[in-house]
Amino acid sequence: MLTAQVQEEIVPYGELLAQEAVPAALISMRDIWRTYQMGEEQVHALRGVSFDVQKGEYVAIIGPSGSGKSTLMNIIGCLDTPTRGRYWINGKLVSEMDDDELARIRNKEVGFVFQTFNLLPRATALHNVELPLIYAGVPAAERRERAKRALMAVDLADRMMHKPNELSGGQRQRVAIARALVNHPSILLADEPTGALDTATSREIMNLFERLHEEGNTIIIVTHEPDIAARAHRIISIRDGRIEKDERVK
Amino acid sequence: MNVYETIKVALSAIWAHKLRSFLTLLGMIIGVTAVVVIVALIQGFNAYVDEKIANIGAKSYSIYRFDFFKDFRDTDTLAAAQRRNPELTLEDYEYLRARLQLTEQLGARVAPTNSQVKRGTQTLDSVPVWGTTPNIVEIEKTDIADGRYFTEGENEVAARVCFIGADIAEKLFPYEPAVGGEIYIRGIPFRVVGVQARYGYVFGRPPVDSSITIPIRTYIRTFGPPVRNRWLYFIGKAVSDELFNDAVEEARAALRLRRGLRADEEDNFGIVTPDVIMGARDRIFGPIFIVAIAVPSIALVVGGIVIMNIMLVSVTERTKEIGIRKAVGARRRDILKQFLVEAVTLSAIGGAIGVLLAWLLSQIVSLYVFQTRLSLLAISIAIFVSGGIGVMAGIFPAWRAARLDPIESLRAD
């Protein structure tokens, strides 16, 4: 926090006027740039993205491939840091954090759901769900209890001791969702969560997201499928590294 | 993530690749086994030399015409010693025996004369026949299986009595007790008064079981005066272990006085003590032992390199896992710790298996060759070293794993 304040003070006065000191929104992005150095050339994946997400929102980020939406997702999920601009999550300025602080934010504030599930193949569903709690330093007994509850919440009470290869795609994604939720993150961040699933299973997973949203979770889904995006309450369209459209649909 | 968790994760990763882990550890196992077994062999050998050859328990010293470790270096030193050092005589013996205060018993032996020994139709050729003073039995703590040693009285009158080794007794008296029997040494009849307990073969010592001992005066009368090949030497036993070194010095001073040596002149005789033998052992075998330990130590280093190699492969293979762990909140140090602990656990397992194998091997050696000493020190050093090698082998791969980019790692297959 101290660094955040010091940073505030050295910002030029004009710029300071344009922003609040610490935004009240859950997620707050201000003029985010992400530039990659490709040999001699500079590639701008994001060119000044700004938006807020309030607690309890259900947001879809859409855009064609190469639009910068994956880069944006990585920055939202604190896997990557912006080249320029500021990013607050839950009042914490994460754009200035180092690797270990980012790991902590990923652990406490972000729950990831990936297209390819990204479960540890040799570990049971229960152990996979326990993983974030291990790095959070939760004692074993409590960890087990919480992981069980998270699995029950996604209707996998009877599959806890199964390994990922013994589960169907939909079940695997539900394990991943349980893992994302087990440490009570501020946001649930899903990257093409139905990309590897058939239509029926996709619908099942999307229903689950809807339910989680109704229970009060903040959800951000990155997708390129319009009908998945259509279930969100707000759609942010990205094109060429900029926000093209940001509309509330429900 | 605490240490217990980390070790659990490490064990499951090792268990997941059982065959690979085992093959990885082979070098380590062989290295540790070899080092521990060799140390056990060396320590066993040293104890063997101490007990059997240096005869530590008996705590006796011997006075010889030559200093074995100085004069036998080459033909020149030997020739010089032959000119300089007079032969030991029975008069020397009597002189010392009468004067030494700190030596409880001083005995004398004459080098053996090989003789033909007969009993009935049994003939044994080239049997070493020794001449000794009767008190040798006490000084050397000779174990008697049957009968007795010869007495002072028998020595005084040069009685034709003999004390025989276990093999001699077995060959000449296969069916009846040897004690009281008569044997012919060079055609002269001797009465057997005692049989020595079986001594067994000891490296570096004359074969006791197939030799015969007669009183020293009888020896001189039978074979001739104690000169040249029938060289004489003395064996002394101190009044107490504490005064052993003083007793040796007293004997040295007494013999120098008798021979009128000036202070700046070297001894013209040699005194062998257990310390001298152990010193010689260390001089001769020390370098061999160092090499014997150094060579398998190289196997340990190679084993460490193999572990490093496999850990690097493991990091590459598990890039995705590292990405997943980082995505859910593992910090660099968590990943570092995970891979480091895995390497250390792996090599510690190798060390433990090595020690176990070493224990088995040294049990087998103890059973068939000689008593080995599996020292706790060697075991702890082996485990410590293998763990240390694990750290060394683990640091680089673990560091590589820790600094992987989470986005890149998640993309890996």
Side-chain angles (χ1 to χ4, degrees), chain A residues 4-224:
Chain A
Q5 280 161 8
V6 171
Q7 291 289 339
E8 288 296 331
E9 280 163 22
I10 59 167
V11 170
Y13 186 59
E15 222 176 292
L16 192 63
L17 280 181
Q19 311 164 350
E20 317 89 324
V22 176
L26 184 60
I27 281 180
S28 196
M29 293 216 166
R30 291 292 174 272
D31 194 28
I32 296 291
W33 286 71
R34 183 66 174 95
T35 309
Y36 296 104
Q37 196 73 37
M38 296 283 201
E40 296 286 290
E41 221 178 328
Q42 285 201 328
V43 178
H44 301 286
L46 294 175
R47 303 157 179 265
V49 171
S50 301
F51 66 91
D52 285 353
V53 174
Q54 304 298 329
K55 192 173 180 318
E57 274 197 276
Y58 186 176
V59 185
I61 295 173
I62 60 166
S65 56
S67 61
K69 67 176 191 308
S70 289
T71 308
L72 183 59
M73 190 211 70
N74 287 337
I75 290 176
I76 296 172
C78 300
L79 286 169
D80 198 3
T81 46
T83 315
R84 228 168 78 196
R86 291 138 172 279
Y87 170 32
W88 287 266
I89 182 165
N90 218 357
K92 289 166 217 153
L93 186 68
V94 293
S95 47
E96 313 289 339
M97 285 183 173
D98 66 21
D99 266 17
D100 280 359
E101 289 171 313
L102 285 175
R104 223 178 142 64
I105 294 289
R106 289 198 293 270
N107 186 247
K108 299 252 186 266
E109 308 286 354
V110 185
F112 278 104
V113 177
F114 300 94
Q115 178 176 4
T116 51
F117 324 128
N118 284 346
L119 299 173
L120 295 182
R122 293 181 190 281
T124 60
L126 188 66
H127 184 81
N128 266 293
V129 177
E130 275 185 68
L131 207 54
L133 299 178
I134 291 176
Y135 293 113
V138 176
E142 185 192 338
R143 202 164 71 206
R144 187 151 286 245
E145 203 41 53
R146 278 169 66 177
K148 275 184 186 168
R149 260 185 280 140
L151 278 165
M152 278 189 250
V154 296
D155 304 320
L156 281 177
D158 53 341
R159 293 283 188 278
M160 287 184 189
M161 290 306 166
H162 291 242
K163 291 191 176 157
N165 61 5
E166 299 159 351
L167 298 170
S168 71
Q171 286 169 334
R172 285 185 217 182
Q173 196 57 301
R174 269 146 61 198
V175 173
I177 292 168
R179 180 181 67 188
L181 289 171
V182 73
N183 207 16
H184 308 306
S186 300
I187 51 166
L188 187 59
L189 186 60
D191 178 19
E192 305 278 9
T194 59
L197 302 173
D198 60 48
T199 319
T201 318
S202 294
R203 197 173 304 125
E204 179 198 324
I205 292 296
M206 291 317 293
N207 289 341
L208 178 57
F209 275 115
E210 214 140 278
R211 198 181 89 206
L212 294 170
H213 174 239
E214 277 158 19
E215 287 167 7
N217 290 293
T218 310
I219 296 172
I220 299 175
I221 289 183
V222 178
T223 183
H224 66 273

Side-chain angles (χ1 to χ4, degrees), chain B residues 91-108:
Chain B
E91 289 71 34
D92 290 332
Y93 171 68
E94 294 302 341
Y95 175 90
L96 290 173
R97 201 180 174 197
R99 279 165 184 77
L100 298 183
Q101 300 291 312
L102 300 176
T103 296
E104 190 190 3
Q105 297 260 26
L106 188 71

